[in-house]
Amino acid sequence: MTVRVGLLGAGTVGAGTFAVLARNADEIARRAGRAIQIVRIADLDLDRAARVADGRAEVTTDASAIVDAPDIDVVVELIGGYDIARTLVMRAIAAGKHVVTANKALLAVHGNAIFAAAHERGVMVAFEAAVAGGIPIIKALREGLAANRIEWIAGIINGTTNFILSEMRSRGLPFAEVLAQAQQLGYAEADPTFDIDGIDAAHKATIMAAIAFGTPMRFESAHIEGIRHLDAKDIRFAEQLGYRIKLLGIARRRERNGLPLGFELRVHPTLIPSSRLLASVEGAMNAVWVHGDAVGHTMFYGKGAGAEPTASAVVADLVDVTRTLTADPDHRVPHLAFQPDALSDLPVLPIGDIESGYYLRMAVADQPGVLADVTRIVAQRGISIGSVLQPEPGAGENSTDVVLLTHRALERDVDEAIAAIEALPTVLGPVVRLRMEDLS
Ligand code: HSE
């Protein structure tokens, strides 16, 4: 019997999902064991829904009618946002429907309640499309890497910011100019806040951390910095030192004396060596680097957004849901990869407790002894310096930039060093601090 799907949201991904399901219907039925068909589409814009359906599905403006309909087996939620989506997803679960969603914000913020409700009701909530679009990273972390103790993840998981950073580097342009171009080209939203302030990447990093470490979603504890204040000068200096700057979502397990301490969960512009594969991920592409104790390093690369790449993940979830529709819920892959009664309470470490390399740039008076004062402050806190860059001052200038790259250090110690450096009369203005990961 055909699996009957109700689609909520007829935007870009909704249209892509309808198209892929229709185009590859035979292949999909051979894989799933049953045909899968979108039979009803809800969108506030009825014309838009009708264009997607093209006479092959019923259309409505009433999403709750689909969620409640007894003849719908699976609800695909592609509305996005927190509130309406949450209400509809919870109502679908209560009505005994399985849910497929691409909504990273919803899961990162309300996922714990949603998965608890789904477990209680014995239904699936599948979310491959929520992280890195078409890249099957959820499947990889949850199933393909199930043998491993996953040590850390570092991902370029926001295409808009990766496009902006790539353009800033290759064309030497300032952030605001590239953002305006990205908006004109349709890469960035009219309100690009979630992308450029790192929130979208933090939603995705939160979800990956939960399924990698077997913890609840901890979005509220994530440390989030975007690229809004990144200076093109730092991209240039980083390049001279052999690094590229990427907005990374990082989740890293930490131990002390062999005992679990917690995990780092952070999104921020990060220097990575130009020779790493991740540094070559340019434009709007996404990639996720995962280190497992058994497998070692792995990297997953592909399109993180767009109609059909994201539909690829939505439809894969529909196939997965279809295959186990009649299975005992206990025999399905657990939502968060680990059994719900075996989740860990491993905390997210405060940002002061993270360990990273650091890039510190400061403007200093061009006179003897300044560098010695700065390096003494750093050394006094046990922080080791890897490289120093001091570009020639412009003609007639009596100040110059100095850049230090440190080895791994505790962020709290680096903060103390920065405060002491900024108090030096020869240091002119605030120190620019960026984090650095060598991904080895
Ligand atoms: N806005 C996201 C990006 C895609 O730029 O990657 C959807 O998460």
Side-chain angles (χ1 to χ4, degrees):
M1 245 183 29
T2 297
V3 172
R4 295 169 63 85
V5 177
L7 173 63
L8 312 183
T12 309
V13 179
T17 300
F18 197 92
V20 170
L21 259 184
R23 189 172 71 235
N24 296 340
D26 291 346
E27 291 277 288
I28 289 165
R30 284 172 58 214
R31 288 195 163 105
R34 292 163 72 172
I36 302 172
Q37 195 183 348
I38 293 174
V39 295
R40 219 161 291 155
I41 304 178
D43 198 290
L44 288 177
D45 181 343
L46 203 59
D47 289 342
R48 182 161 89 153
R51 275 197 300 281
V52 170
D54 197 22
R56 293 170 290 171
E58 292 169 34
V59 295
T60 174
T61 52
D62 184 3
S64 26
I66 290 185
V67 160
D68 295 336
D71 64 333
I72 295 289
D73 304 304
V74 186
V75 170
V76 173
E77 184 276 304
L78 300 176
I79 296 173
Y82 301 101
D83 298 332
I84 297 169
R86 180 189 190 196
T87 306
L88 289 167
V89 164
M90 290 302 260
R91 197 157 150 177
I93 291 168
K97 317 267 187 244
H98 305 283
V99 174
V100 173
T101 179
N103 191 334
K104 60 235 64 168
L106 177 72
L107 295 181
V109 175
H110 299 301
N112 297 327
I114 289 170
F115 293 126
H119 180 65
E120 180 85 359
R121 193 67 177 77
V123 296
M124 292 170 266
V125 175
F127 53 95
E128 183 64 69
V131 180
I135 304 175
I137 188 64
I138 301 299
K139 191 91 169 171
L141 287 170
R142 203 159 57 173
E143 297 175 52
L145 297 173
N148 288 262
R149 177 185 158 88
I150 294 174
E151 305 289 356
W152 55 266
I153 299 173
I156 295 173
I157 43 182
N158 183 270
T160 304
T161 44
N162 203 49
F163 171 80
I164 293 173
L165 292 176
S166 301
E167 292 290 293
M168 285 175 75
R169 185 186 68 78
S170 63
R171 298 169 60 205
L173 295 174
F175 169 77
E177 201 170 312
V178 180
L179 173 62
Q181 282 179 10
Q183 282 171 313
Q184 271 166 15
L185 290 169
Y187 282 109
E189 312 279 336
D191 176 4
T193 312
F194 268 34
D195 290 322
I196 64 179
D197 289 338
I199 297 162
D200 176 74
H203 288 146
K204 295 166 183 167
T206 296
I207 295 170
M208 289 197 291
I211 60 172
F213 305 143
T215 66
M217 300 285 171
R218 294 264 164 71
F219 175 72
E220 68 290 349
S221 304
H223 177 85
I224 310 171
E225 290 171 32
I227 63 165
R228 201 185 280 273
H229 303 294
L230 196 63
D231 192 328
K233 189 189 244 189
D234 293 311
I235 295 180
R236 200 171 65 244
F237 288 160
E239 187 144 47
Q240 287 171 21
L241 288 157
Y243 292 82
R244 288 200 180 161
I245 299 182
K246 295 290 184 188
L247 184 73
L248 292 191
I250 296 170
R252 184 196 302 268
R253 211 191 269 273
R254 289 267 308 282
E255 289 186 342
R256 185 171 295 150
N257 303 328
L259 294 173
L261 197 61
F263 65 98
E264 301 177 359
L265 180 58
R266 48 192 170 100
V267 171
H268 48 71
T270 314
L271 276 77
I272 55 176
S274 305
S275 56
R276 297 282 180 261
L277 273 178
L278 213 48
S280 310
V281 175
E282 293 282 60
M285 299 304 284
N286 281 201
V288 183
W289 188 266
V290 183
H291 186 262
D293 66 340
V295 74
H297 295 297
T298 55
M299 190 171 107
F300 304 83
Y301 171 84
K303 287 189 178 155
E308 294 214 357
T310 312
S312 167
V314 171
V315 174
D317 275 349
L318 283 170
V319 171
D320 254 3
V321 167
T322 300
R323 283 173 175 154
T324 57
L325 268 179
T326 53
D328 179 334
D330 287 341
H331 296 162
R332 296 179 183 139
V333 179
H335 288 115
L336 293 181
F338 293 70
Q339 297 298 334
D341 60 359
L343 291 189
S344 141
D345 57 4
L346 204 62
V348 176
L349 296 174
I351 192 67
D353 288 344
I354 73 148
E355 281 179 359
S356 170
Y358 291 85
Y359 165 105
L360 306 177
R361 170 173 62 84
M362 60 213 75
V364 300
D366 193 14
Q367 64 187 56
V370 179
L371 199 53
D373 288 343
V374 170
T375 52
R376 189 175 51 251
I377 287 172
V378 172
Q380 275 167 350
R381 282 152 185 89
I383 302 165
S384 172
I385 293 172
S387 331
V388 178
L389 176 72
Q390 184 171 4
E392 280 296 311
E397 285 179 17
N398 51 10
S399 73
T400 184
D401 281 312
V402 169
V403 178
L404 308 182
L405 297 188
T406 78
H407 290 311
R408 284 191 91 70
L410 194 63
E411 177 134 338
R412 199 179 307 110
D413 293 338
V414 174
D415 285 343
E416 271 185 36
I418 289 173
I421 290 169
E422 287 175 344
L424 290 172
T426 45
V427 171
L428 316 169
V431 173
V432 172
R433 181 264 309 275
L434 294 168
R435 301 179 186 89
M436 194 169 76
E437 294 290 340
D438 80 351
L439 304 177
S440 58

